[in-house]
Structures are given as C-alpha cells and as structure tokens.
Amino acid sequence: MKRQDPPRPKGRLQAGLRQRRLVVLLLAALSTLAAPAQDLDSSRAYWQDAWRGWHFYEEPEAKPLAPARPTPRQPKPGARVPSHENKPPEVRELERLQRELDEARSVAIIRPTESNVRRYMAIEARVVSQASTFADVAQRIAWSDPELDPTLQGRPVNARALEVFEQAQAAERSRQVASLGRDHVLLFFFRSDCSYCHAFAPTLEAFSAKHGLKVIAVTIDGGTLPGFEDARRDNGIATTLRVGQVPAVYLAQPYSGLITPIGFGVLSEAQLIERIATVASPPPAAPLDSPTLASATGRSR
C-alpha cells in the first residue's frame, strides 16, 4: 500500500503561491531596471507619441556625421623644410641677443634692483656698440657709391646744394606756369570788405604780370579791389564751387570746363607757383557745367 501524505492546510498553500508571485514580480522589476536607457526612452516616447496613430512606417532619423578631420599638408618631395639649424650663425646670434635684451629689460622693470638694471645696461651698451659699428661701415660705403648715398637722392641736405636745388626747381615751375597761360586762367573770389583780400590782391596782380597767367576776379558782394576794378559779379559759380572762404583762387581751363582749387587765404608767390605746378601735373579734376564756367569767364564754347 502506498503511503499517502496528509493533506496540507489550505492557508499554507496560499501563502506559498503569494511568495512565488512576489519572486516573479521582483525578477521582472530587476530586468526592467537592467534594460538600456535608450530602450526605456524609446518605449516611453512610443507611448507618449501614441496620439499620432500608426507611425511605425516612418524612416529612422539619420545620425549626424562626424566632422572630417583636415588632412595635414605634406611637404612636397624635395622641398626644403626651414629649421633653426639651417639659419646662419649670425642670425642665430642676433636672435639670441634680442631675446637676452628683452628678458633683461623685463626683469629690470619688474625688479629694478641694482644688479638687474646693471645687467640690462651692459647688454644694451653691447647692442648700441654693434649698431654704431654697422652705421659707420654703411656710411663709408655710401660715400664711395653715389647710388647708395641717400643725401644724393631727392632733396639735398647740404645748405648750398639745397639753395641750388630750389632755384632750379623754381625755374622749372615758372616755365610750367607760363605754359599754362595759353589755355588756363585763375579765378579769384573776393569780398570788398575782406582785409585779407585787400592784402592778397597786390601779390596776385604781380604774379599774373610776371608769369603771364590771366586772373579773372569774381566779386561776391558786388564791390571791387585795387587792381581788380573790372571784377565780375558772382552769377552762382561761387555757390557751385562751394566757396565758403575768401580770398580763394582756382585754376580753370575755359574750353574744357575743368576747375581745380589752388588755395584759400593769403598766399605768397612761391606758394602760388608750387601749387599751380603741382595741381597741373596729375589728371585734372572733373569738369563742371560749361555754361556756368563760360558765363564766369566771359567765353562761350
């Protein structure tokens, strides 16, 4: 005969079932926590995005591409790569001396002790001595080679040579101004109550007679000046040229309508010659309306 186990109490059986359920739930919770964070986020996103309906046919989002790293440039075959070793020893010595001087000066400024300042002054004296030797050699070379002598290039520095240079320059400019008298005139704007205009008028009159450049005087207030009693009344050309200060002198070419300012205020004869010759050398200024200039000069095209 088989042995029959006594029946278990009903309460103990229910307790064992509850215990098994708790173990299953605990294992499920642990597996959920161990899941990757991205799966949990995607699951949440799925349920939170349920309002869009069936959306499992959407294409997955493209992952951003990593930026390409620049390829370092390779030197060409046979190209010489500069290096410190390839520099001449004199260049390396000069660079070393410059660094030593800069460091000594910085130390002496931050910590101006007697030893630091003395060290900087000693290095500076060595640099100055080297530079003086260079200047002496360069000067001797310049004396022996006219093409390398800066005193022979351009404006002289010697007083006697400068006097000769200025005389020759003045004669050349005088010839240029005389050549302009064939087709140019000077427009002289003034006011009869202007003391500077009265002071400048004799200089301009003598300049015109000496260099043969005709002066057409234009009075702004209707008055006259000694030597320019035949001055013409302003017909608007002063406004066109924006003459805001008198006396004012302009160089004009009547047949082309070109007008270039020469200067304002009281000018000397030398200043007039220099400025007129200078402004006549480059291309002339833009032309104004020919009727206005023709009426001011009394000539028609």
Side-chain angles (χ1 to χ4, degrees):
M1 294 181 64
K2 294 182 178 181
R3 182 180 176 183
Q4 295 182 356
D5 296 332
R8 295 182 180 180
K10 187 175 182 179
R12 185 178 297 177
L13 179 60
Q14 291 178 352
L17 293 174
R18 284 197 300 269
Q19 187 176 5
R20 292 180 180 179
R21 291 176 182 174
L22 290 176
V23 172
V24 172
L25 292 175
L26 181 59
L27 292 175
L30 292 176
S31 62
T32 303
L33 293 175
Q38 57 183 3
D39 296 340
L40 181 60
D41 294 340
S42 61
S43 176
R44 290 178 180 175
Y46 175 83
W47 291 109
Q48 292 175 358
D49 205 23
W51 61 273
R52 297 177 61 187
W54 300 98
H55 50 82
F56 54 84
Y57 290 108
E58 292 183 356
E59 296 292 338
E61 295 183 359
K63 296 182 179 180
L65 299 177
R69 296 183 178 179
T71 305
R73 297 181 60 183
Q74 299 295 334
K76 297 181 179 180
R80 298 182 60 184
V81 180
S83 62
H84 181 74
E85 290 74 11
N86 295 334
K87 293 182 180 180
E90 294 81 4
V91 175
R92 295 199 300 269
E93 175 65 18
L94 179 60
E95 292 177 350
R96 186 196 61 79
L97 187 61
Q98 290 176 341
R99 288 194 305 269
E100 187 178 356
L101 181 64
D102 293 339
E103 292 175 359
R105 181 173 57 249
S106 300
V107 173
I109 291 175
I110 299 301
R111 295 185 178 276
T113 62
E114 183 177 350
S115 59
N116 290 340
V117 175
R118 183 185 300 275
R119 177 173 175 269
Y120 165 70
M121 293 178 64
I123 299 175
E124 186 183 32
R126 192 169 52 179
V127 173
V128 171
S129 175
Q130 192 71 24
S132 299
T133 303
F134 165 78
D136 292 341
V137 175
Q139 191 175 50
R140 287 196 295 268
I141 294 175
W143 291 343
S144 62
D145 192 343
E147 295 182 356
L148 299 178
D149 190 352
T151 62
L152 301 179
Q153 311 298 328
R155 193 178 184 88
V157 295
N158 179 272
R160 181 57 181 166
L162 182 60
E163 182 180 353
V164 175
F165 174 81
E166 290 180 347
Q167 291 176 354
Q169 191 178 50
E172 177 62 26
R173 287 175 175 175
S174 180
R175 286 192 293 269
Q176 293 179 359
V177 172
S179 64
L180 292 175
R182 295 192 297 267
D183 54 0
H184 288 75
V185 296
L186 289 178
L187 297 180
F188 172 42
F189 295 89
F190 69 90
R191 295 178 59 91
S192 60
D193 57 352
C194 170
S195 57
Y196 296 101
C197 299
H198 282 269
F200 178 57
T203 302
L204 188 59
E205 184 180 14
F207 177 85
S208 175
K210 180 178 180 180
H211 299 281
L213 193 57
K214 183 180 179 181
V215 176
I216 297 179
V218 180
T219 173
I220 296 179
D221 61 350
T224 60
L225 290 177
F228 297 98
E229 290 78 6
D230 57 346
R232 305 178 185 185
R233 289 182 174 272
D234 177 29
N235 61 354
I237 189 174
T239 303
T240 302
L241 296 177
R242 298 180 181 179
V243 179
Q245 183 177 347
V246 290
V249 180
Y250 289 78
L251 180 66
Q253 192 176 35
Y255 79 88
S256 65
L258 300 176
I259 300 180
T260 307
I262 297 300
F264 302 86
V266 179
L267 302 174
S268 65
E269 179 183 356
Q271 289 177 315
L272 286 172
I273 294 177
E274 179 181 4
R275 297 187 182 192
I276 293 174
T278 302
V279 300
S281 299
L288 300 173
D289 293 338
S290 55
T292 304
L293 179 58
S295 58
T297 58
R299 300 176 60 178
S300 59
R301 298 179 65 181

